[in-house]
Amino acid sequence: MKKRILIITTGGTIAMKYDKNFGILPNDELIEMLHSFPQLQDVAEINVCEFTNIPSPYMDPEKMFALGKLVEEKIIDYDGIVITHGTDTLEETAYFLDLMLSTRKPVVLTAAMRSGSELGLDGPRNIVGAVRVASDDITSDRGVLVVMNDDINCARDVVKTNSGKTDAFETPLYGLLGIIDPDKVIFYRERIIKETIKTDQIVTNIDLIKCVSGMGSHHLEASINRNVKAIVLEAFGRGNVPFTILPTIKKALDKNILIVVASRTYTGRVLPEYGYEGGGRYLADMGVILSGDLKGPKMRLKLMLLFGKLKKTELVKSYLLEQNS
Ligand code: ASP
C-alpha cells in the first residue's frame, strides 16, 4: 500500500520563477505542479498544504515554531511529512524542527537552487527524492532530514556551502547520512546526536555576533542595551576572542546575560584550551559557555527553545554545562 505523505510548502526558490523585468520572484505554481506531478503520485499518496510562500530570508524563529506545531498536528494523519523551503535558511528551520519534534515518523526538508524557469531544474527531482525518503520504512526515527541533490543530510550538521550550485548542501566532517539511488534509499550511518527540547514557548531575544579581527564592543553593547537573554559569540578557532572585548563580556555576564562561544571555523569544536586573556579557557573561567561543535546560528536557535522551556539563565547554563561534561 502506498504511504500517505503531506507536503507542506513554505516558499523559496522552489516556488519562484524568473521575470525578465524584476528578477526571480515568488509565484503560485508549485502547489499546482505538486498535484499533477506523475512521478510523485507513483511514489506515495500526496496531500499538499501551504504554510506560507516566502523567500527563506524572511523565515524567523516564530514562523519555525508555528511550522513545528503544524507538523505535530498533521503528522498524526500521515506516514511522513515533506517540507519545501528556501535554501538560504533551510538548515536553521531543519535544526529548529529537529529539536522541537519527537515523532519517529520521517520529516524531510527539501528545496531547489534553480527557480522554475531555469534549465536543468533541481526542484522536481528533489521533491521526488524527499517523498521517496519520507515514504521508506528505513527512514523511521532518524530525526529531521534534509534531502538535496540525491543526498540525505542530518538537520543538526548540514550547511549550505555554496550560493549557486545544485549540490549546495554538505555535512562537513561527519558526512552524509545516506543517498537516494534509482532503486532504493540507502542510509550509511545513524545520526550522532538526538536531542529534543519540548516547550510551549520560545524566547527570541538572543543575538549572534561574529568576531572579526580588530572588532569593537559596539555590537555587544547594543545587545546588552536591548536586554537580550543570551549572546552567541562566533569566536575564532578553538573559541578565542580579542582581549579588547573582555570588559564588555564581563558587563554582559554581570547582567546575567548568558554568553555562549561557538567557533566561526567551518568544522571542529571549541575547547577551554588557551589560557591567555580572551582564550577559550580564560572565557570559560569567566563563566562563558562553550558550544562544542554546534555552529553559532544553530546554537542561537537552541537557546531560544531552551530559554522557552527552562526560563532561568542558571538552568539553561547548567543544561549546557552538563552536555559539555
Ligand atoms: N533566496 C532563496 C530562498 O532561500 C534561495 C533558495 O531558495 O534557494 O528563499
Side-chain angles (χ1 to χ4, degrees):
M1 209 172 83
K2 275 195 208 160
K3 295 282 181 68
R4 278 171 52 77
I5 302 296
L6 177 67
I7 303 181
I8 301 177
T9 62
T10 71
T13 295
I14 200 162
M16 293 189 194
K17 270 201 160 166
Y18 176 72
D19 177 293
K20 69 175 182 338
N21 295 315
F22 301 105
I24 299 171
L25 289 174
N27 143 309
D28 286 331
E29 287 171 25
L30 176 67
I31 294 182
E32 207 180 296
M33 186 279 262
L34 290 172
H35 281 122
S36 57
F37 190 10
Q39 287 98 324
L40 214 48
Q41 314 303 329
D42 291 347
V43 181
E45 195 186 313
I46 303 290
N47 279 330
V48 184
C49 152
E50 182 181 79
F51 172 73
T52 182
N53 189 5
I54 53 170
S56 78
Y58 295 5
M59 187 55 82
D60 60 40
E62 279 99 355
K63 292 190 190 77
M64 293 175 197
F65 195 54
L67 178 61
K69 294 271 175 221
L70 179 68
V71 172
E72 276 172 345
E73 179 197 318
K74 297 282 186 189
I75 196 102
I76 300 159
D77 299 323
Y78 290 91
D79 297 304
I81 290 189
V82 168
I83 300 169
T84 60
H85 198 282
T87 59
D88 288 347
T89 58
L90 184 140
E91 68 209 52
E92 291 195 40
T93 301
Y95 182 57
F96 190 98
L97 296 181
D98 192 46
L99 288 174
M100 192 181 159
L101 300 171
S102 53
T103 178
R104 294 169 66 90
K105 292 183 185 175
V107 176
V108 183
L109 276 83
T110 194
M113 292 295 291
R114 293 180 179 149
S115 69
S117 25
E118 285 181 67
L119 276 180
L121 279 189
D122 54 336
R125 187 179 180 97
N126 287 343
I127 290 174
V128 174
V131 171
R132 281 183 59 198
V133 171
S135 46
D136 198 309
D137 290 332
I138 201 175
T139 310
S140 169
D141 199 20
R142 292 187 185 269
V144 173
L145 302 171
V146 172
V147 163
M148 290 288 288
N149 203 40
D150 298 338
D151 291 338
I152 309 168
N153 292 277
C154 168
R156 182 184 185 274
D157 303 314
V158 68
V159 197
K160 182 175 179 181
T161 55
N162 190 281
S163 58
K165 289 166 64 179
T166 50
D167 61 344
F169 284 80
E170 284 176 57
T171 300
L173 204 58
Y174 304 120
L176 299 175
L177 281 187
I179 57 159
I180 306 159
D181 253 356
D183 60 334
K184 62 178 175 177
V185 171
I186 302 168
F187 278 91
Y188 297 141
R189 65 173 180 92
E190 300 292 329
R191 69 198 138 143
I192 300 165
I193 293 168
K194 175 59 193 159
E195 183 180 9
T196 308
I197 304 170
K198 281 271 150 226
T199 175
D200 52 13
Q201 56 178 297
I202 56 169
V203 171
T204 57
N205 64 338
I206 293 171
D207 284 347
L208 179 146
I209 297 170
K210 187 171 191 136
C211 290
V212 287
S213 56
M215 71 189 289
S217 293
H218 48 288
H219 295 106
L220 277 166
E221 289 286 359
S223 296
I224 294 170
N225 289 340
R226 65 177 210 96
N227 286 322
V228 293
K229 286 300 228 186
I231 300 167
V232 179
L233 265 181
E234 269 195 0
F236 302 106
R238 277 295 203 195
N240 313 311
V241 302
F243 71 90
T244 45
I245 67 168
L246 291 176
T248 321
I249 290 180
K250 168 102 177 39
K251 184 170 160 187
L253 292 170
D254 288 346
K255 287 185 180 284
N256 205 29
I257 295 172
L258 186 68
I259 308 270
V260 181
V261 160
S263 180
R264 65 172 216 173
T265 59
Y266 192 48
T267 57
R269 296 165 63 217
V270 287
L271 279 183
E273 268 187 351
Y274 290 91
Y276 62 80
E277 287 187 12
R281 182 171 176 161
Y282 187 94
L283 292 173
D285 288 345
M286 280 176 78
V288 166
I289 300 293
L290 304 183
S291 172
D293 68 347
L294 193 62
K295 295 296 145 198
K298 289 184 177 172
M299 176 48 90
R300 171 178 164 266
L301 295 172
K302 176 168 161 174
L303 289 172
M304 290 181 184
L305 287 157
L306 277 178
F307 271 97
K309 180 185 165 87
L310 302 170
K311 318 268 183 305
K312 291 191 168 35
T313 306
E314 275 317 305
L315 295 179
V316 174
K317 195 171 168 179
S318 309
Y319 178 99
L320 295 172
L321 281 172
E322 200 171 309
Q323 283 196 322
N324 283 349
S325 60

